[in-house]
Amino acid sequence: MTATLANSRDIALQDRARRVIPNGMWGHMATRSIAPGYPQFFSRADGCRVWDADGNEYIDFMCAWGPNVLGYHHEAVDAAALAQLRVVDSGNGPTETLVELAEELTATLDHADWCLFQKNGTDATTACITIARAGTGRRKIIHARGAYHGAVPWCSPSVVGVTAEDRAHLIPFDWGDAASLDAAVAQAGDDLAAIILTAFRHDVARDQELPTTAFLQAARAHCDRTGAMLICDDVRAGFRLDLRGSWARHGVKPDLAAYSKAIANGWPLAAIAGADRARAGAESIFTTGSFWYGAAAMAAGLATIRILRDTDALAHTEAMGNRLRKGLDEAASRHGYRLRQTGPVQMPMVLVDGDRDLAIGNALCLAALRHGVYLHPRHNMFLCAAHGPADIDRAVEAVDRAFADIAAAGLRPA
């Protein structure tokens, strides 16, 4: 193996953090949940690159876990946000930008008649559930096993501190399985408020699965027949696959959809986009947050959506994803490995075939770090418009060297 990264400052920061932060870090960005040796703290980012606290540079394939869709520090997006900051951000009420952004989104998303804004994806998915229950007067929510919809008691992947009552009205089913969905709908009976689905199956450490049109149509038909709401959790995939909404290519329209991550290129913003049949529910509930009306992030969102609409950013990102997928397959094959690359190429899940305990994937990603590429061994990754052909080729070369490192160490599937 090659030498380890210089990481003395990162280690020192982790030691300091443990004194004042439980476990030193929380949530999905706690690197102890990835693999020992990952940098926890970063000093800057630009385009498709990040630098850790020790100054090590990486071509980044996590893109801030999704928000970076155009490139870190995109000049036009940041200029729009900063111009708004100089006037007002959080005030006694929103600015005109709120209305402009809602108008832009309803004109862009093929299923949207109205919008509400929040700060995080969990805010948006939770409000969608509340709106669906308010609008239908029912309680049961059907969701796919293993799907991630946020980190509050009704949906958190951890049940520590969660009561049975928090999840009393959730009914699980198996993603993509029409018979399983039929059974869940039957179990809900006349108390079905909503079916919530992620845009595609992106469970951790599993092959990703794109929805079939038939499956989405079946979910839509159940909601049409029962009067329930169909909710698309488009937090992760929204504004990466299709500006009209991730299900637009299937011709299936949700009643409610939750967006965040890429909506404002890293500025904190989330949105619910709803159809008119869900408007009464939205009008009847109380949902709010002190910073949900911040104008700077909305200005960034407005700029981001317009850039995505007026440029080839999405097509370029898809092309770079295809280039990366091909290069990684070839690099793996040269060293006697086989990859399982699933999901959209813009949001790839990359697993080593036969790597049952992810030990090989962990070692590969750690070796890639040492060669200047930031990958994730068990979570889907992200590309952005700032990734160019030279970045992809350099990353593939680095991963090729990482495969050589783990092969030399004798790490092979059992």
Side-chain angles (χ1 to χ4, degrees):
M1 291 285 201
T2 57
T4 58
L5 289 168
N7 62 349
S8 60
R9 179 155 179 75
D10 189 75
I11 290 173
L13 284 169
Q14 291 188 51
D15 288 342
R16 287 171 57 191
R18 277 190 287 270
R19 299 187 190 106
V20 291
I21 298 168
N23 288 326
M25 190 53 59
W26 67 96
H28 66 291
M29 288 193 179
T31 54
R32 66 182 179 277
S33 66
I34 308 176
Y38 263 71
Q40 179 66 82
F41 292 92
F42 291 82
S43 59
R44 66 188 182 101
D46 190 62
C48 67
R49 283 171 165 74
V50 293
W51 287 259
D52 67 24
D54 288 277
N56 300 302
E57 177 183 345
Y58 311 96
I59 301 174
D60 179 28
F61 289 101
M62 283 306 286
C63 291
W65 296 71
N68 175 29
V69 66
L70 294 171
Y72 294 111
H73 289 187
H74 189 280
E75 184 175 355
V77 174
D78 288 357
L82 292 172
Q84 183 61 59
L85 274 175
R86 293 187 187 101
V87 182
V88 64
D89 181 24
S90 294
N92 285 0
T95 70
E96 183 179 349
T97 308
L98 179 147
V99 181
E100 290 182 291
L101 180 56
E103 290 171 339
E104 192 72 43
L105 286 174
T106 55
T108 300
L109 297 165
D110 74 346
H111 62 87
D113 296 308
W114 54 266
C115 294
L116 296 174
F117 297 103
Q118 305 83 29
K119 282 298 179 188
N120 299 289
T122 302
D123 298 335
T125 57
T126 301
C128 282
I129 295 297
T130 307
I131 290 168
R133 284 172 166 158
T136 62
R138 305 171 189 170
R139 300 172 296 174
K140 304 299 183 186
I141 305 295
I142 292 174
H143 68 104
R145 289 183 179 89
Y148 182 78
H149 295 296
V152 288
W154 79 266
C155 59
S156 174
S158 170
V159 296
V160 178
V162 174
T163 68
E165 290 78 7
D166 291 319
R167 305 188 182 199
H169 297 292
L170 299 184
I171 300 174
F173 80 102
D174 298 324
W175 167 273
D177 186 330
S180 179
L181 179 59
D182 292 346
V185 171
Q187 181 181 340
D190 60 5
D191 201 19
L192 178 59
I195 300 171
I196 184 169
L197 302 170
T198 50
F200 66 96
R201 194 183 77 175
H202 45 63
D203 303 357
V204 172
R206 292 189 60 177
D207 293 339
Q208 312 294 271
E209 183 180 346
L210 294 168
T212 65
T213 298
F215 172 65
L216 293 180
Q217 287 175 338
R220 179 70 269 172
H222 279 303
C223 291
D224 291 342
R225 177 178 59 80
T226 64
M229 301 289 178
L230 180 60
I231 302 171
C232 178
D233 176 352
D234 218 354
V235 168
R236 195 175 300 189
F239 309 112
R240 285 187 175 276
L241 306 185
D242 193 316
L243 280 186
R244 300 170 300 167
S246 293
W247 291 348
R249 64 193 66 188
H250 298 282
V252 174
K253 296 181 179 182
D255 301 300
L256 293 159
Y259 295 95
S260 191
K261 288 195 183 290
I263 193 172
N265 201 51
W267 290 81
L269 185 67
I272 296 169
D276 274 333
R277 74 179 297 257
R279 188 187 291 264
E283 290 176 341
S284 69
I285 69 166
F286 182 81
T287 182
T288 193
S290 295
F291 302 103
W292 285 13
Y293 308 91
M298 292 181 186
L302 194 58
T304 299
I305 300 306
R306 288 172 174 169
I307 291 166
L308 290 172
R309 181 195 63 200
D310 297 339
T311 70
D312 69 345
L314 293 188
H316 169 80
T317 304
E318 184 174 5
M320 293 303 99
N322 281 313
R323 190 183 189 104
L324 178 66
R325 181 162 290 188
K326 180 175 183 290
L328 293 181
D329 273 338
E330 291 172 350
S333 180
R334 278 192 292 271
H335 297 281
Y337 297 89
R338 187 169 63 182
L339 297 178
R340 298 200 317 275
Q341 301 197 66
T342 57
V345 295
Q346 309 94 316
M347 302 173 62
M349 171 66 84
V350 182
L351 299 172
V352 178
D353 201 27
D355 183 18
R356 293 185 179 87
D357 60 1
L358 300 180
I360 296 172
N362 286 341
L364 176 67
C365 291
L366 285 169
L369 280 175
R370 292 189 286 270
H371 294 299
V373 176
Y374 194 102
L375 306 173
H376 200 292
R378 60 177 64 86
H379 193 285
N380 78 268
M381 295 180 281
F382 300 87
L383 278 78
C384 71
H387 285 108
D391 302 305
I392 300 301
D393 294 348
R394 180 176 167 187
V396 168
E397 179 183 356
V399 174
D400 188 284
R401 294 168 67 190
F403 272 117
D405 288 347
I406 67 169
L411 288 170
R412 296 285 179 183

